[in-house]
Structure formats: structure tokens, C-alpha cells
Amino acid sequence: VSLIPLVYLGVRTAQAGGSRIAEELLTIRTAILAVRSVSLAGVVTLACLGIGVALAYLVVRTDLPGRRLFGVVAALPLAIPTYVAGFAWLATIPRFEGFWPAALVLTLCSYPYVYLPVAAALAGTDPAQEEVSRALGRGAWRTFSGVTLRQLRPALVSGGLLVTLYVFSDFGAVSLVRYDTFTRAIFTKFNLGFDRTGALVLSTTLVALTALLLLAESLVRH
């Protein structure tokens, strides 16, 4: 059942013909959309990895006062849709638009996708390996980067994948801050420009980017 939209998308795109697909796909506009979408996803994913790991370490491995309450609060952004967060920022800061505002909103809404699996992984790992590392003369940073992060790699990869996919699919934040990505361009072509073929081709391109991302994640995981 989940494949039905992909099959429909492939059939409808193929009906447009090779020349029409090439006319829409091989353009500077499509290349710019790809660069913008990938750049936004990359920046947001890196920021979420940093924030998620830091918060998970504070909650699981430190004596932070009220850390259980803090751990719950740190996951609350999952309950806030990006369009609500984007509207709140727009209401607070005039002319809040462009790449970095979009990255900020998406980062603050998406970092729990990294924080939650990393916190679970930290709670399940054996701290004895870190103690052995320190006993052998490694400092706190070398132990963290050489031992702890290696143990967290599966959680980091899966959390980063979720964030990247979320950014690829997001429409609320990018539409409010007026930053063109594939999702905003698809909506504009379909509902405002009445260009269904163009919307189909851009949608197929976004699906292809997602498939490449999933393939890369699979290779990294193995």
C-alpha cells in the first residue's frame, strides 16, 4: 500500500514523455533547487547531531539537577509542527526569511530525532570501556571521540537519517520563511502555476534524492 503513491508518480511522470521530462529536469532552476534542498538538509542534520549528542550526554551521563525533567522538556519540540514554530518566529522577528532562518526553525524542531536514539544508546552502553580508556591515559575528549562516539554511531546515523528525510519533506517552515526547496517549488507549480507535469518531475527528482540518501545510509551502516 505504501508503494502506491510512488507507482502513481512513476506512471504519471513517464506519461509526460522523455523530451518534456528533460525540458523540466535539465534546467538551472532544478539544479538550484537540488543544491538548496541538500544544503539545508546538510546544515540542519549537522546542527541536530551536535545538539542531540550534547543534550543526551547531559541527561544520561552527568549529574545535571532535574535531568529527568530536562530530558522530557528536550523532547517537546516533536509536538510542535514546523509551521507553528515558523509562524512564532515570524511574529517575533520581522523579515525572518531565507536560508538561515529556515535552518534555525528546522533544527530546533528536529533535533529530538537525534537526541532520543542517542540518549537510549548511551543508557544501554557499557561505561566500562570508557573507564578502561581513561585508565590507559586518554583524556576526557579522546575517550569521548574515540570510544563513546564509536559506540553511538548506529544511533547517530539513524537519527541523522531521520532529520535529513524530515528536512527533505518539510513544507511548513520553508514556505513561511520563503526559502525555495523542492517541496515549495512543487506546491507552487501544482497549485499556483497549474503545471502538473513540472510538479511531477520535481517530485520524482525529490524521491530519487531520497533513494540515494537511503542507499548511502545503508552503505555507511554496513
Side-chain angles (χ1 to χ4, degrees):
V1 174
S2 65
L3 292 177
I4 292 176
L6 294 179
V7 174
Y8 172 81
L9 182 63
V11 171
R12 289 298 305 274
T13 303
Q15 290 176 349
S19 59
R20 182 67 178 88
I21 294 174
E23 179 185 346
E24 184 67 35
L25 186 61
L26 303 177
T27 61
I28 296 178
R29 172 66 172 166
T30 303
I32 291 175
L33 287 174
V35 171
R36 286 187 165 203
S37 298
V38 172
S39 299
L40 182 62
V43 169
V44 173
T45 301
L46 290 175
C48 287
L49 287 173
I51 295 174
V53 171
L55 291 177
Y57 195 86
L58 284 175
V59 171
V60 177
R61 291 293 179 84
T62 67
D63 296 328
L64 182 72
R67 60 178 183 168
R68 291 187 177 180
L69 176 62
F70 185 76
V72 174
V73 172
L76 287 182
L78 286 179
I80 304 174
T82 56
Y83 68 88
V84 174
F87 182 78
W89 280 93
L90 279 171
T92 305
I93 304 176
R95 301 185 63 82
F96 186 77
E97 58 186 45
F99 176 84
W100 292 110
L104 176 63
V105 173
L106 287 170
T107 298
L108 294 179
C109 291
S110 304
Y111 76 81
Y113 289 115
V114 175
Y115 159 71
L116 291 174
V118 170
L122 273 175
T125 56
D126 185 4
Q129 295 188 34
E130 299 172 23
E131 296 172 1
V132 170
S133 175
R134 293 184 179 181
L136 292 175
R138 289 192 173 191
W141 172 249
R142 289 187 64 192
T143 297
F144 177 77
S145 60
V147 178
T148 307
L149 284 183
R150 288 179 180 272
Q151 293 176 306
L152 298 178
R153 186 168 59 181
L156 291 172
V157 172
S158 60
L161 175 65
L162 288 175
V163 171
T164 305
L165 293 176
Y166 187 81
V167 175
F168 276 168
S169 66
D170 179 74
F171 173 73
V174 295
S175 62
L176 283 172
V177 301
R178 299 181 181 180
Y179 183 74
D180 279 336
T181 58
F182 273 113
T183 52
R184 191 166 186 256
I186 291 167
F187 176 83
T188 302
K189 281 185 174 292
F190 191 82
N191 285 335
L192 303 180
F194 303 102
D195 183 7
R196 294 201 171 196
T197 302
L200 287 168
V201 173
L202 291 181
S203 299
T204 304
T205 305
L206 182 56
V207 171
L209 280 176
T210 304
L212 289 175
L213 175 65
L214 293 173
L215 177 61
E217 186 272 340
S218 177
L219 294 175
V220 170
R221 184 176 66 247
H222 290 298

